[in-house]
Amino acid sequence: MSPEIVTILALVAIFAIATFLPINMGALAFVAAFLVGTLSVGLSTDDILTGFPAELVVTLIGVTYLFAIAQNNGTVDLLVRGAVRLVGGYVAAIPWVMFAVTALLTAIGALSPAAVAIVAPIALGFAARYDINPLLMGMMVVHGAQGGGFSPISVYGLTVNEIVEQEGLPSSPVTVFFGSLLFNMAIGVVLFLVLGGRKLIGRRVSATVPAHVEHAEEPVVSGHGAPPGPAVGPDHLRDDGADGTADGAPPRVTLDQVLTLVGLVTVAVLALVFDLDIGFVSITVATVLALFAAARHKGAVSQISWSTVLLIAGVLTFVFVLQEAGTIDYVGEAVIGLGIPLLIALLLCYIGGVVSAFASSTAIIGVAIALAVPFLLSGDVGAVGVVVALSVASTIVDVSPFSTNGALVLANAQGVDRDRFYKQMLAYAGIVVAVGPLLAWLVFVVPGWL
């Protein structure tokens, strides 16, 4: 049996076992990478470890460690209150604020994982505090990052436009950008309506919490389903006293919180402006913050999402083995051999979507467009439309818990059953992988308007 077939069967077995038995999929994937890699693909263990996603592991550890400290010292609560004031206390606006912020960050050149790493912990902290569906908040962050990710000055946009130009294909950077942005916004609208967003409309919250609760879980609300009374907005917060203060005075900001805010800004600047690795920057800032209150933050390390680290590291190591076996090229060549342009475009969208759910979106976009070049040059289908469809199909699946962005959302989920949340993300990613490429094909390729 060929290595390509063996790796596909192993991947199916990993999913099947993890679905029916309470075994971490990452552990299964490490075993499969070892056995399949050495026995079928002919790799040594050193070769297999080359595919270990060290950068992502450091990012997950660093970001979750930093935000564990921020959660423990109340900085996340402080940011949540600031977000409430920003939107006038309207909870329904918060998911869209998170979408817009991540879209803006990626549109001006930030790497998608860096933007998600910065915004997701804050968004999910807000979801935990105000009883917003965490899947809604997490996915809005990811789709926001992908929506802005194809601007002409972004990493994705530059990659796609350079490949198109090198291959001599018709190009339209603005069309690629707005195609991705509007597609992800449309998905955001569907998510908002399906995952409880309608219940949030008209609901307003106070930016303060009762004095007798250290970290309140229940917001003070007014509007639908709330007792009669005046709306609580940013200019007239309810006079309950909060976080140990009296007479309705604003909660005091501690030195720990000030230092943490400075640390978060430092992470954002170093990662987004100076393009330093966000994992190393985060873990450095977290360690410095811990030095100022070592006893208080000694438990923060145990709050790192180690099960998620195992899950992601194992799966991506096996994906490397799959790539080394030539499985992606094997499937791509089989698709190109069909000879029907529209069908080829559809299948390439699915290849980009399925593979990108586990691997680098940037790399897969390049592979998918390269595979499409021969029939795009023939002019049988609109080249710009296919490029937009491939770009969208290869990135919207970053909601997968095995992608960098999805992994960051999973690792930073707060106040939820992590296993249940993982299954929800997996189910949603499955829907996106199954339907997303088809919709992108129907919108951008079939009409022939691009």
Side-chain angles (χ1 to χ4, degrees):
M1 189 179 295
S2 68
E4 296 90 346
I5 300 299
V6 171
T7 55
I8 292 173
L9 293 176
L11 184 61
V12 172
I14 290 170
F15 275 98
I17 294 172
T19 299
F20 295 104
L21 296 175
I23 301 175
N24 188 294
M25 188 181 292
L28 293 170
F30 271 126
V31 173
F34 171 61
L35 295 179
V36 174
T38 55
L39 300 178
S40 181
V41 184
L43 300 174
S44 67
T45 51
D46 286 341
D47 293 332
I48 295 171
L49 287 174
T50 302
F52 182 82
E55 182 177 354
L56 176 55
V57 168
V58 173
T59 297
L60 291 173
I61 292 173
V63 170
T64 54
Y65 183 32
L66 174 59
F67 276 90
I69 290 176
Q71 178 69 37
N72 292 344
N73 65 22
T75 304
V76 171
D77 288 344
L78 191 65
L79 293 172
V80 166
R81 289 193 296 270
V84 173
R85 289 189 174 93
L86 182 66
V87 297
Y90 287 102
V91 180
I94 290 296
W96 291 106
V97 169
M98 301 304 167
F99 180 100
V101 169
T102 46
L104 177 62
L105 290 175
T106 55
I108 62 177
L111 290 172
S112 179
V116 172
I118 291 167
V119 179
I122 298 170
L124 291 165
F126 190 96
R129 167 66 68 84
Y130 292 110
D131 195 28
I132 301 173
N133 190 317
L135 186 63
L136 169 63
M137 290 292 276
M139 297 304 96
M140 289 292 275
V141 170
V142 176
H143 283 298
Q146 303 312 87
F150 284 93
S151 80
I153 61 172
S154 68
V155 176
Y156 286 159
L158 289 170
T159 300
V160 170
N161 296 329
E162 182 177 350
I163 293 172
V164 169
E165 183 177 344
Q166 288 176 348
E167 299 293 347
L169 297 170
S171 66
S172 178
V174 173
T175 302
V176 174
F177 173 42
F178 281 104
S180 175
L181 178 61
L182 294 175
F183 197 92
N184 279 278
M185 285 180 65
I187 294 178
V189 170
V190 174
L191 284 172
F192 186 82
L193 296 176
V194 172
L195 297 180
R198 287 173 294 183
K199 297 179 180 178
L200 305 177
I201 295 175
R203 179 176 159 203
R204 301 179 72 183
V205 299
S206 166
T208 59
V209 294
H212 63 278
V213 180
E214 182 178 356
H215 291 294
E217 298 296 333
E218 295 297 328
V220 180
V221 301
S222 65
H224 297 299
V232 182
D235 297 323
H236 47 281
L237 299 178
R238 183 165 297 178
D239 218 12
D240 291 329
D243 295 317
T245 62
D247 302 323
R252 289 187 296 268
V253 178
T254 66
L255 177 61
D256 271 358
Q257 292 170 343
V258 172
L259 293 175
T260 304
L261 288 172
V262 171
L264 294 176
V265 172
T266 301
V267 169
V269 171
L270 293 179
L272 302 180
V273 178
F274 294 95
D275 200 26
L276 297 182
D277 183 88
I278 192 169
F280 279 114
V281 172
S282 296
I283 202 167
T284 300
V285 171
T287 302
V288 171
L289 291 173
L291 289 174
F292 285 94
R296 177 183 300 176
H297 298 310
K298 65 180 180 180
V301 171
S302 64
Q303 294 173 251
I304 296 173
S305 184
W306 296 111
S307 63
T308 302
V309 171
L310 173 60
L311 170 72
I312 303 305
V315 170
L316 294 187
T317 301
F318 179 73
V319 168
F320 171 78
V321 173
L322 183 146
Q323 292 171 325
E324 290 296 298
T327 306
I328 297 173
D329 292 337
Y330 171 80
V331 175
E333 290 171 3
V335 168
I336 296 298
L338 294 174
I340 306 173
L342 277 177
L343 183 58
I344 291 173
L346 175 61
L347 293 178
L348 285 176
C349 285
Y350 272 103
I351 291 174
V354 172
V355 177
S356 183
F358 301 92
S360 166
S361 297
T362 305
I364 296 307
I365 290 171
V367 171
I369 294 176
L371 290 172
V373 167
F375 81 90
L376 289 180
L377 289 174
S378 70
D380 292 330
V381 293
V384 174
V386 173
V387 169
V388 176
L390 290 176
S391 299
V392 169
S394 298
T395 54
I396 57 171
V397 295
D398 279 1
V399 296
S400 162
F402 307 120
S403 71
T404 305
N405 290 343
L408 287 165
V409 170
L410 178 63
N412 286 285
Q414 302 174 27
V416 299
D417 181 330
R418 192 63 59 85
D419 184 60
R420 182 170 178 268
F421 187 61
Y422 159 71
K423 291 179 179 178
Q424 290 175 339
M425 286 188 63
L426 193 61
Y428 175 63
I431 294 172
V432 172
V433 170
V435 179
L438 176 62
L439 291 177
W441 179 74
L442 289 172
V443 172
F444 300 113
V445 180
V446 173
W449 57 283
L450 293 176

